[in-house]
Amino acid sequence: MNLENISANKSFGGWHRQYLHDSETLGCRMRFAVYLPPQAGANRRVPVLYWLSGLTCTDENFMQKAGAQRVAAELGLAIVAPDTSPRGAEAADDEAFDLGQGAGFYLNATQAPWNRHYRMYDYVSRELPALIEANFPVTEQRAVAGHSMGGHGALICALKRPQDYVSASAFSPICHPVNAPWGQKAFAAYLGEDRAAWEAWDASLLLKHAQQQLPLRVDIGLADSFLDVQLQPETLERAARDCGYPLELHRHAEYDHSYYFVASLIEEQLRFHARHLGL
């Protein structure tokens, strides 16, 4: 696969780099960022945390705002942050912020015009990890995390392919998208009007029938303006309780939906993953 390095920045003894590549899955040019800690090199491979960002974001939001590199450097943990959707003139788009480019929802679209490029689930769970493992000094040990729409993405990746991940976490995830306005709008466009097809992309519904359990942590801010209507963490909590899934759901007073919240708790989430990755 053709990788083009477009930026490089030294950070806490490691390197943050951005790359472009031609995605076979998405049929377009894609950008991703990778942070390699100082331990990664010719003689040592390190595990990877895949970070999935939210609506309107790119690979840059987390890498520039979360302040994760210091702890990742200490732990010896690589971080990979893909973009949130296909990009370019050839990829379908919409004027609204919550549909189209910047709003891929980490699913595989089945409806035109979206199905031509919008296969973000296959991209982040299959193509991108294969690319990373073939080109960087990393192991096959993976964790997955995300924020908001990306929290939804992290949850469904972990629940649909638990064999691929050691642990999963999310900040402010859309927990029950079949019953949330953001999810309903995106699912109707990408998947069609058959609501039964939506259930395969809903974390609360997938968790009910999980055959393999992973360590799972979710952090929610109680001052989040999207909490009750869009996020609905109680549905995930109820599903976990009903089936005995090991969910750690942490509620934090006065925190909102922003990256101020993510930056405040990112060290706790990274150390959660480190324990399960054996770091």
Side-chain angles (χ1 to χ4, degrees):
M1 298 180 184
N2 181 32
L3 280 177
E4 179 187 352
N5 182 207
I6 58 173
S7 75
N9 302 94
K10 192 77 171 177
S11 179
F12 294 98
W15 285 94
H16 168 273
R17 301 181 189 271
Q18 285 180 307
Y19 291 88
L20 292 173
H21 77 108
D22 294 317
S23 169
E24 181 177 346
T25 300
L26 303 179
C28 65
R29 195 91 162 135
M30 288 295 288
R31 190 178 75 189
F32 68 87
V34 58
Y35 176 71
L36 290 175
Q39 297 89 337
N43 298 318
R44 181 176 173 186
R45 294 177 177 267
V46 298
V48 184
L49 173 72
Y50 288 87
W51 174 269
L52 307 182
S53 291
L55 289 167
T56 76
C57 292
T58 68
D59 65 285
E60 294 183 333
N61 294 73
F62 177 79
M63 290 300 201
Q64 294 182 4
K65 295 179 179 180
Q69 291 88 344
R70 176 185 61 81
V71 179
E74 174 195 330
L75 296 171
L77 178 65
I79 301 175
V80 172
D83 203 345
T84 53
S85 76
R87 298 284 180 176
E90 69 272 25
D93 199 7
D94 189 271
E95 292 183 356
F97 77 95
D98 53 359
L99 188 66
Q101 295 188 29
F105 266 83
Y106 303 102
L107 50 72
N108 291 336
T110 59
Q111 303 299 301
W114 312 103
N115 58 344
R116 183 180 174 192
H117 297 286
Y118 282 71
R119 300 186 62 82
M120 285 298 294
Y121 172 74
D122 280 352
Y123 176 71
V124 300
S125 67
R126 302 187 188 213
E127 183 181 11
L128 184 60
L131 176 70
I132 297 299
E133 290 166 14
N135 290 278
F136 297 94
V138 300
T139 70
E140 295 181 357
Q141 279 191 300
R142 306 172 192 166
V144 64
H147 172 238
S148 194
M149 178 187 73
H152 146 78
L155 293 177
I156 62 172
C157 282
L159 292 166
K160 291 170 81 68
R161 296 186 63 84
Q163 70 275 15
D164 291 348
Y165 303 98
V166 174
S167 54
S169 68
F171 287 92
S172 314
I174 305 171
C175 296
H176 193 30
V178 302
N179 197 44
W182 280 340
Q184 291 170 338
K185 179 178 179 177
F187 286 10
Y190 297 145
L191 303 171
E193 296 297 336
D194 181 5
R195 295 177 70 94
W198 299 5
E199 296 181 3
W201 306 101
D202 184 295
S204 294
L205 300 178
L206 287 170
L207 191 145
K208 286 183 180 180
H209 306 290
Q211 298 298 306
Q212 181 178 338
Q213 297 181 341
L214 293 178
L216 175 59
R217 174 179 175 137
V218 172
D219 288 276
I220 293 287
L222 294 181
D224 192 322
S225 60
F226 303 117
L227 184 63
D228 295 330
V229 175
Q230 302 286 10
L231 308 186
Q232 302 177 38
E234 69 280 357
T235 60
L236 192 72
E237 184 177 42
R238 188 180 311 117
R241 183 174 59 247
D242 290 347
C243 70
Y245 200 99
L247 167 68
E248 296 182 25
L249 179 59
H250 300 271
R251 294 177 169 87
H252 304 274
E254 300 182 333
Y255 282 99
D256 58 20
H257 197 74
S258 71
Y259 262 88
Y260 294 107
F261 175 43
V262 175
S264 298
L265 274 296
I266 190 61
E267 180 169 353
E268 290 190 24
Q269 283 210 7
L270 292 182
R271 295 193 185 281
F272 164 82
H273 290 292
R275 289 195 299 273
H276 296 290
L277 290 165
L279 297 176

